[in-house]
Amino acid sequence: MVRGKLTVIIGGVRSGKSAYAEKMLVDEASHVAGRLVYIASGTATDAEMQARIDRHKQDRAEIDCTTIEQPVELAGVVPSIQQGDLVLWDCLTTWLANELYSGWETATPCISEPGCMEQKEAQLYETINDILAKTSHLVIVSNEVLDELPSTYMETRTYSKWIGRIHQKLVAQADEAIEIDYGLATDWKNGQREVLA
Amino acid sequence: MHIYIGGAHNGKRHYVRTKFAHEKLAWFDGELPETDTFINHKIVIAGLENWLAQTDLDEQQAIEHIMRVQKDRSVIIILTDIGRGIVPMDADQRKLRDTCGRLYQRLIAEADEVTRIWYGLAQTVKKRGEKQ
């Protein structure tokens, strides 16, 4: 069984990374067989977030794709993935926030439970491998949030540590690791650069 | 002087530790090598933002001091990219960013080599003697 291709796309807020990722898979779907599957991890916690999600949905409306809402426990998507699917996960950063704070309703958020996030991290890498065993291409989108001085807030520093660690691990495993910045997409694995349309 | 620069938690220290695994490294994290000890070592300076945050020197003196300390030595400096976050309300926090930014510009101008680290991967940004 051939392992699917893994692409990691990391860029700042409003850098056009989602559009870039979508275009990549839509172009690919036009010449290979396979469904386009979109894994959405954002949850509407307020009206602005709802509008943001709606905007993303609208952008995808013209595309023939299957959407799976999966804010936590990414492993839940694996049974819905079919052989040869082209999968886009948007995005890792919201998933991490959701996971770190899951359990807050019972006053036991993962972020304050020793070993909790370590377990979820290991599970995440396993799930990504499970998805790659079925799909021909998995694209993971994430936010660049680490180009500033460490936060004065302990929980934000914990978040930063985790996102950095997971980014490093995924970039190491990826076939393509693309940074979106200054209107440019740079693939750090093969040095290619592309100006965003 | 060789600079490694990148965002926080991007694996800069790990990269340097691995790349120079066969050399004697003397690490200074949040402090400066003020004396001439460690002559047979490559000096690694990291956490300059922490040193800046606690020094009593004013900005100009602090920058000159750092430039003096690294001069004529085999030095690696690890810089954490700090320039792309929200500008904070707190005046001291703003000042620290300004000072860091100006120090970084000065160090990068003087560096023989600048390498950017992005999640464990490296890219040469500047190398003296090579066409930019």
Side-chain angles (χ1 to χ4, degrees):
Chain A
M1 179 62 221
V2 187
R3 180 181 179 269
K5 181 161 94 172
L6 175 62
T7 300
V8 175
I9 298 177
I10 303 174
V13 176
R14 301 262 72 84
S15 64
K17 56 192 183 309
S18 295
Y20 181 85
E22 278 162 30
K23 186 172 179 301
M24 176 185 268
L25 286 186
V26 169
D27 288 353
E28 203 170 320
S30 68
H31 55 84
V32 298
R35 300 184 306 167
L36 270 180
V37 177
Y38 186 93
I39 306 169
S41 287
T43 51
T45 43
D46 59 29
E48 189 278 333
M49 197 63 196
Q50 185 60 56
R52 196 175 280 260
I53 291 170
D54 290 344
R55 191 165 57 233
H56 275 282
K57 276 186 181 161
Q58 216 167 25
D59 290 344
R60 292 197 308 274
E62 299 145 29
I63 309 167
D64 179 22
C65 77
T66 307
T67 300
I68 306 171
E69 309 255 355
Q70 196 73 30
V72 288
E73 287 165 26
L74 187 69
V77 306
V78 176
S80 319
I81 304 288
Q82 298 172 8
Q83 293 293 339
D85 279 351
L86 301 162
V87 182
L88 171 58
W89 181 25
D90 197 352
C91 65
L92 175 66
T93 22
T94 46
W95 170 85
L96 177 61
N98 294 341
E99 289 289 8
L100 280 171
Y101 287 99
S102 73
W104 64 272
E105 329 76 278
T106 51
T108 52
C110 185
I111 195 166
S112 51
E113 300 290 305
C116 176
M117 197 56 223
E118 281 78 358
Q119 211 177 332
K120 291 184 178 192
E121 181 198 22
Q123 175 69 57
L124 171 70
Y125 302 144
E126 254 178 64
T127 302
I128 288 173
N129 279 331
D130 291 346
I131 295 174
L132 287 171
K134 288 175 151 185
T135 56
S136 59
H137 195 177
L138 169 62
V139 178
I140 300 176
V141 173
S142 196
N143 266 296
E144 181 52 70
V145 291
L146 296 175
D147 290 338
E148 64 174 328
L149 279 174
S151 169
T152 46
Y153 301 104
M154 175 66 186
E155 290 194 351
T156 307
R157 287 202 302 274
T158 302
Y159 181 91
S160 298
K161 183 195 85 177
W162 278 108
I163 198 70
R165 174 163 151 170
I166 296 171
H167 279 173
Q168 283 186 53
K169 177 85 173 188
L170 294 182
V171 164
Q173 285 186 1
D175 302 290
E176 296 176 318
I178 297 169
E179 178 186 28
I180 310 261
D181 208 353
Y182 314 115
L184 268 182
T186 306
D187 185 345
W188 279 73
K189 290 279 172 117
N190 61 30
Q192 282 175 6
R193 286 186 165 212
E194 188 188 334
V195 178
L196 298 191
Chain B
M1 188 226 312
H2 188 163
I3 289 175
Y4 288 87
I5 187 165
H9 306 291
N10 268 246
K12 302 182 293 295
R13 284 174 172 78
H14 178 75
Y15 187 89
V16 167
R17 219 176 283 127
T18 311
K19 186 172 168 79
F20 299 98
H22 302 296
E23 296 193 42
K24 279 196 223 164
L25 299 178
W27 287 77
F28 293 84
D29 207 326
E31 54 184 338
L32 296 173
E34 306 278 3
T35 62
D36 280 338
T37 41
F38 300 105
I39 289 165
N40 298 318
H41 290 65
K42 209 181 240 312
I43 306 275
V44 184
I45 302 172
L48 274 176
E49 67 280 8
N50 295 326
W51 182 83
L52 280 173
Q54 56 79 51
T55 183
D56 294 328
L57 301 175
D58 69 26
E59 177 177 319
Q60 205 47 43
Q61 290 171 330
I63 292 177
E64 293 309 331
H65 185 68
I66 290 168
M67 298 315 290
R68 212 164 32 239
V69 162
Q70 61 80 32
K71 203 172 182 304
D72 302 326
R73 288 173 120 168
S74 176
V75 174
I76 291 169
I77 302 182
I78 298 175
L79 300 178
T80 303
D81 204 343
I82 50 139
R84 291 192 266 185
I86 304 281
V87 175
M89 291 282 283
D90 182 71
D92 284 340
Q93 282 289 319
R94 283 204 302 274
K95 186 166 179 299
L96 181 57
R97 277 165 174 75
D98 290 349
T99 305
C100 268
R102 285 190 280 259
L103 169 66
Y104 288 12
Q105 288 187 43
R106 182 79 187 275
L107 285 168
I108 286 168
E110 302 249 338
D112 300 300
E113 195 168 346
V114 178
T115 305
R116 189 175 161 220
I117 302 292
W118 185 75
Y119 300 114
L121 303 179
Q123 186 192 30
T124 302
V125 179
K126 165 183 174 177
K127 196 165 186 174
R128 214 176 275 289
E130 281 186 13
K131 208 171 165 206
Q132 300 297 306

